[in-house]
Amino acid sequence: MSYVDEIYERVVANNPGETLFHQAVKEVLDSLKLVIDANEEKYRSVSLLERLTEPERIISFRVPWVDDNGKVQVNKGYRVQFNSAIGPYKGGLRFRYDVNQSMLKFLGFEQIFKNSLTGLPIGGGKGGSDFDPKGKSDREVMAFCQSFMTELCKYIGADVDVPAGDQGVGGREIGFMYGQYKRITGLYEGVLTGKGLTWGGSLVRTQATGYGLVYIAEEMLKHVGDSFNGKTVVISGAGNVAIYACEKAQQLGAKVVALCDSNGYIYDADGIKLDIVKDIKEVRRGRIKEYVDAVPTAKYTAGKGIWTIPCDIALPCAGQNELDLEDAKALIANGCKLVAEGANMPSTREATDYFLEKKILFMPGKAANAGGVATSALEMSQNSQRLSWSFAEVDAKLHDIMTGIYAKVSDAAARYGVAGNFVAGANIAGFEKVADAMMSQGIV
Ligand code: NDP
């Protein structure tokens, strides 16, 4: 049995029931086969893959808080500190009802390679809770965030582990957690990213994942002599990533016709009016169906189905496994030429394989959505320097990082004889740097 297959079996046996984690490991290991087979003895001798697939540390804890009715609620809190070979752990916190250890291990594992691809010195981590801020009052969210940070603060620090936002964790939650960290430790340091602009945040961080996604997609198009201009685009989700992917695609001359949330999707043939979406989602924290109240010519459909809308470009920006084989087939049958993943692992394995088989331009999340964490790392740099860079300066750095990622991914795929397979390219390029660092640092 090959080293890669052996490790996958080991991961499944040692992590029972953690199917999302298994899926992420399989996808990465399969595309690393070429590299691992070529260096099998070297990697085996130091059990590199055994160490790479086992988190350095998982912290799991109780989060008690009091709701508006005076009742004590208890949630689970986690931080997965997966790999610190190339820098302090870095990765978001997710607050959503379905968060569990398997999900955070999958996200933390992906984060290792994503962070490596950015070229910045950041290791891989992820955390969160099964607390869902949806439908909670600001006071309840604050009570939860303070309790969560009271425990988490023991394990993080500006040079140790620097969490950020993810689903369910935006500026409000980061603010409450930062305040509590400062209160307990007495330190005003860059321990969280995604902070407000008046207290250590970076310009462009809010836009970074969505903008970065469109920058890398534009680079993919540029290499085949094309651009966003005049293209029809479908974007799933209506959160942070989707909104700013929509904004940048529109700025580049594309027409975005659809967005969704987990209840259903909107279709606006005239092009989505983003100011209305921002008001619903960022100001009123409402549902996407409210869009049709403001734009009666648009259509709302409950349930799944967004990928049946014809488009040139699809940007899945909602959540894991939201796009399956049937969706992939519908997209390609309707003429879609490019898929770039804003979310983490939004395409199922079968959908990804179908995109690769059909040879459309396909960029996996760990490369395509790396703009968020890259800009978080730029926020860390500004905090360390006690400086704030201008919007244009950060945006230019983000743009350079995304074109750099495209170059690394495309080069790695070509070096291993699979030119154009950006899934393999992203995994190989991300792995090489981490593996080299792990080999140099001995058995730790
Ligand atoms: P948000 O919570 O801001 O938004 C997520 C959006 O997607 C919501 O509109 C949500 O709807 C919708 N959604 C979630 N799951 C589904 C589903 N299965 N079907 C349809 N709609 C769904 O999250 P973000 O925009 O921050 O993150 C989106 C994705 O991007 C995640 O996978 C995240 O890990 C990834 N990502 C985010 C980064 C960031 O900087 N924010 C960085 C890198 C990756 P509802 O409100 O109904 O739940």
Side-chain angles (χ1 to χ4, degrees), residues 29-259:
L29 288 184
D30 280 354
S31 54
L32 289 181
K33 224 172 172 144
L34 293 162
V35 190
I36 306 288
D37 286 353
N39 301 280
E40 179 159 341
E41 214 180 298
K42 180 171 89 172
Y43 293 145
R44 255 189 201 280
S45 66
V46 292
S47 296
L48 188 92
L49 295 184
E50 287 86 336
R51 289 188 286 138
L52 189 66
T53 52
E54 189 66 42
E56 289 176 17
R57 192 172 304 104
I58 299 179
I59 299 134
S60 105
F61 50 95
R62 173 175 82 201
V63 190
W65 57 282
V66 180
D67 70 17
D68 284 348
N69 298 318
K71 187 172 180 329
V72 177
Q73 301 284 346
V74 181
N75 287 95
K76 288 174 184 290
Y78 305 90
R79 186 72 182 163
V80 178
Q81 298 182 330
F82 219 121
N83 191 299
S84 61
I86 62 169
Y89 312 103
K90 182 94 198 86
L93 296 171
R94 178 175 290 192
F95 291 170
R96 203 177 139 92
Y97 67 92
D98 57 357
V99 163
N100 57 36
Q101 186 166 295
S102 166
M103 183 186 288
L104 297 176
K105 280 168 75 176
F106 125 60
L107 290 163
F109 186 66
E110 291 274 301
Q111 197 81 42
I112 302 169
F113 306 98
K114 180 190 306 192
N115 292 2
S116 166
L117 280 173
T118 66
L120 301 168
I122 38 181
K126 198 81 188 185
S129 171
D130 59 356
F131 169 82
D132 206 319
K134 273 203 287 290
K136 307 285 193 308
S137 69
D138 283 353
R139 195 210 61 81
E140 288 178 321
V141 172
M142 182 172 75
F144 172 81
C145 288
Q146 291 182 339
S147 182
F148 183 84
M149 184 51 84
T150 299
E151 188 61 26
L152 186 69
C153 73
K154 300 168 189 164
Y155 310 102
I156 61 176
D159 295 314
V160 180
D161 182 353
V162 184
D166 187 69
Q167 287 182 341
V169 180
R172 175 182 60 171
E173 290 76 15
I174 293 288
F176 292 147
M177 287 189 278
Y178 190 71
Q180 186 73 351
Y181 179 86
K182 188 163 58 74
R183 185 181 187 197
I184 294 175
T185 64
L187 295 170
Y188 205 107
E189 60 171 13
V191 68
L192 293 171
T193 56
K195 298 186 289 299
L197 293 176
T198 52
W199 43 281
S202 173
L203 286 160
V204 193
R205 178 59 191 92
T206 305
Q207 296 84 354
T209 308
Y211 277 22
L213 170 67
V214 174
Y215 289 151
I216 203 166
E218 180 78 347
E219 195 66 13
M220 293 159 76
L221 290 166
K222 203 170 103 190
H223 280 80
V224 295
D226 211 339
S227 77
F228 263 89
N229 197 23
K231 297 289 186 299
T232 299
V233 181
V234 168
I235 302 178
S236 63
N240 173 264
V241 182
I243 285 174
Y244 291 96
C246 180
E247 183 166 285
K248 185 51 73 179
Q250 289 178 337
Q251 285 172 8
L252 295 181
K255 182 156 83 167
V256 180
V257 295
L259 291 173

Side-chain angles (χ1 to χ4, degrees), residues 132-424:
D132 206 319
K134 273 203 287 290
K136 307 285 193 308
S137 69
D138 283 353
R139 195 210 61 81
E140 288 178 321
V141 172
M142 182 172 75
F144 172 81
C145 288
Q146 291 182 339
S147 182
F148 183 84
M149 184 51 84
T150 299
E151 188 61 26
L152 186 69
C153 73
K154 300 168 189 164
Y155 310 102
I156 61 176
D159 295 314
V160 180
D161 182 353
V162 184
D166 187 69
Q167 287 182 341
V169 180
R172 175 182 60 171
E173 290 76 15
I174 293 288
F176 292 147
M177 287 189 278
Y178 190 71
Q180 186 73 351
Y181 179 86
K182 188 163 58 74
R183 185 181 187 197
I184 294 175
T185 64
L187 295 170
Y188 205 107
E189 60 171 13
V191 68
L192 293 171
T193 56
K195 298 186 289 299
L197 293 176
T198 52
W199 43 281
S202 173
L203 286 160
V204 193
R205 178 59 191 92
T206 305
Q207 296 84 354
T209 308
Y211 277 22
L213 170 67
V214 174
Y215 289 151
I216 203 166
E218 180 78 347
E219 195 66 13
M220 293 159 76
L221 290 166
K222 203 170 103 190
H223 280 80
V224 295
D226 211 339
S227 77
F228 263 89
N229 197 23
K231 297 289 186 299
T232 299
V233 181
V234 168
I235 302 178
S236 63
N240 173 264
V241 182
I243 285 174
Y244 291 96
C246 180
E247 183 166 285
K248 185 51 73 179
Q250 289 178 337
Q251 285 172 8
L252 295 181
K255 182 156 83 167
V256 180
V257 295
L259 291 173
C260 72
D261 59 23
S262 54
N263 297 120
Y265 64 93
I266 51 163
Y267 173 69
D268 187 341
D270 300 325
I272 297 285
K273 280 105 196 136
L274 197 57
D275 51 338
I276 295 174
V277 176
K278 282 186 183 177
D279 181 56
I280 296 169
K281 286 290 174 184
E282 295 185 336
V283 182
R284 291 191 278 124
R285 297 181 193 273
R287 307 304 299 159
I288 200 67
K289 71 171 177 224
E290 293 163 36
Y291 183 85
V292 295
D293 299 338
V295 186
T297 50
K299 194 173 161 227
Y300 173 74
T301 309
K304 277 195 75 169
I306 191 169
W307 305 120
T308 59
I309 299 170
C311 62
D312 304 303
I313 294 171
L315 304 175
C317 298
Q320 66 277 354
N321 292 331
E322 52 155 308
L323 194 163
D324 63 18
L325 180 60
E326 290 314 305
D327 297 324
K329 285 183 176 169
L331 278 170
I332 291 188
N334 285 328
C336 178
K337 299 281 185 300
L338 183 149
V339 177
E341 297 182 329
N344 286 309
M345 209 166 72
S347 310
T348 62
R349 179 61 194 261
E350 296 73 25
T352 300
D353 288 346
Y354 189 73
F355 290 140
L356 294 178
E357 182 195 318
K358 292 292 170 189
K359 296 200 181 313
I360 64 156
L361 292 170
F362 176 75
M363 190 60 79
K366 67 171 69 68
N369 69 33
V373 73
T375 308
S376 278
L378 299 179
E379 184 175 328
M380 289 164 72
S381 303
Q382 293 168 79
N383 292 164
S384 301
Q385 294 182 329
R386 305 273 190 266
L387 285 175
S388 294
W389 301 334
S390 69
F391 191 98
E393 208 173 342
V394 183
D395 193 33
K397 287 188 200 305
L398 170 64
H399 193 274
D400 280 356
I401 290 168
M402 297 314 294
T403 52
I405 292 175
Y406 174 82
K408 279 179 224 164
V409 167
S410 162
D411 167 69
R415 265 193 290 126
Y416 280 89
V418 286
N421 180 339
F422 300 141
V423 175

